[in-house]
Amino acid sequence: MRLPEEFYRRDDVLQVSRDLLGKYLFTKINGKTTVGMIVETEAYRGPEDKASHAWNGRFTNRTRVMYEPGGIAYIYLCYGIHYLFNVVTATEGIPHAVLVRAVEPVEGIAEQLERRKMTQLHPRITAGPGALCMALGITRDMNGKSLQSESIWIEERGTVIESKDIIAGPRVGVAYAGEHALLPWRFSVRNNKFVSKAK
DNA sequence: ACGAAGATTGGCT
DNA sequence: GCCAATCTTCGTC
């Protein structure tokens, strides 16, 4: 069952971030469907969060989609090489978002291997935000797209991740955010092989 | 108009 | 473990 818009439009981005664990991220590109179960997320809490692109209410051509109502994709190019996929949350005007950092491949694994130029299934295939975008074929032309669309969406399939199996820790790669870098806003599924290795 | 830095990854030592 | 790849974004001149 596809997650409804109300799921994303809650203002508590930390809760949405936790709730996305165990959900299934789908893409359908040129008739090929690929699916990954979300196992790692990070919450970015809009204006109050120094690590967020929307910190201090920054509104630019890039960040504008973060201010739209929740339930759409925010995708941007990082280091000139990798696409990173975020889910925009909360209501219009509140630029909260959840970065999806890792998924476990579930369907279309052959296609995912091909996109990653790999021959063997290895956690590296989707462990990391840039890696999962490549495996699922996510590129910036999906930026701003509704998660109710026919090319990218998220489903609930009855998988339950219990609170005791959710690990909360500091976010990755945000040292520039000072004290905000220490907030435990990264969530992952305990003992899942596809969770990325933080440096 | 210019330049530094970035929510990363993979290859080489 | 270290470092290059690669290009958009944004602050500053």
Side-chain angles (χ1 to χ4, degrees):
Chain A
M1 197 182 73
R2 199 181 276 239
L3 295 178
E5 292 186 328
E6 304 85 70
F7 177 94
Y8 305 104
R9 296 195 177 169
R10 291 173 288 165
D11 284 347
D12 186 349
V13 66
L14 298 180
Q15 192 61 50
V16 176
S17 198
R18 290 170 175 276
D19 289 349
L20 280 170
L21 297 176
K23 302 298 189 289
Y24 294 78
L25 175 59
F26 283 66
T27 58
K28 186 173 178 184
I29 298 161
N30 296 328
K32 308 247 189 189
T33 301
T34 47
V35 185
M37 185 182 78
I38 298 171
V39 298
E40 181 181 353
T41 60
E42 279 179 3
Y44 285 84
R45 203 155 182 275
E48 319 100 72
D49 180 2
K50 208 169 180 183
S52 168
H53 291 160
W55 176 63
N56 202 22
R58 187 162 65 184
F59 186 92
T60 63
N61 196 48
R62 178 172 70 156
T63 63
R64 56 185 303 146
V65 304
M66 300 178 82
Y67 291 83
E68 291 186 35
I72 62 175
Y74 168 46
I75 298 160
Y76 75 98
L77 185 65
C78 186
Y79 293 104
I81 304 175
H82 308 287
Y83 292 108
L84 271 63
F85 169 72
N86 297 251
V87 175
V88 174
T89 70
T91 44
E92 184 165 16
I94 301 179
H96 295 171
V98 176
L99 170 68
V100 177
R101 286 193 56 87
V103 304
E104 174 174 337
V106 173
E107 283 178 29
I109 293 177
E111 182 70 19
Q112 296 187 43
L113 284 168
E114 193 174 323
R115 289 193 184 120
R116 294 282 284 123
K117 296 184 170 63
M118 292 169 65
T119 52
Q120 301 257 315
L121 188 57
H122 182 282
R124 194 175 73 229
I125 187 172
T126 49
L132 78 90
C133 282
M134 184 168 287
L136 298 182
I138 296 172
T139 61
R140 208 171 41 178
D141 48 65
M142 291 175 175
N143 187 37
K145 216 163 180 75
S146 168
L147 298 178
Q148 308 303 321
S149 74
E150 290 307 308
S151 57
I152 185 165
W153 68 97
I154 301 175
E155 291 190 12
E156 159 68 64
R157 286 187 160 183
T159 301
V160 176
I161 310 292
E162 297 182 46
S163 337
K164 69 174 173 58
D165 291 322
I166 297 178
I167 298 173
R171 293 173 293 179
V172 177
V174 296
Y176 59 86
E179 72 227 36
H180 293 178
L182 301 175
L183 296 168
W185 288 1
R186 172 184 184 229
F187 304 101
S188 58
V189 176
R190 188 182 303 276
N191 294 331
N192 186 287
K193 293 190 295 285
F194 295 87
V195 170
S196 73
K197 293 183 211 161
K199 292 200 174 178

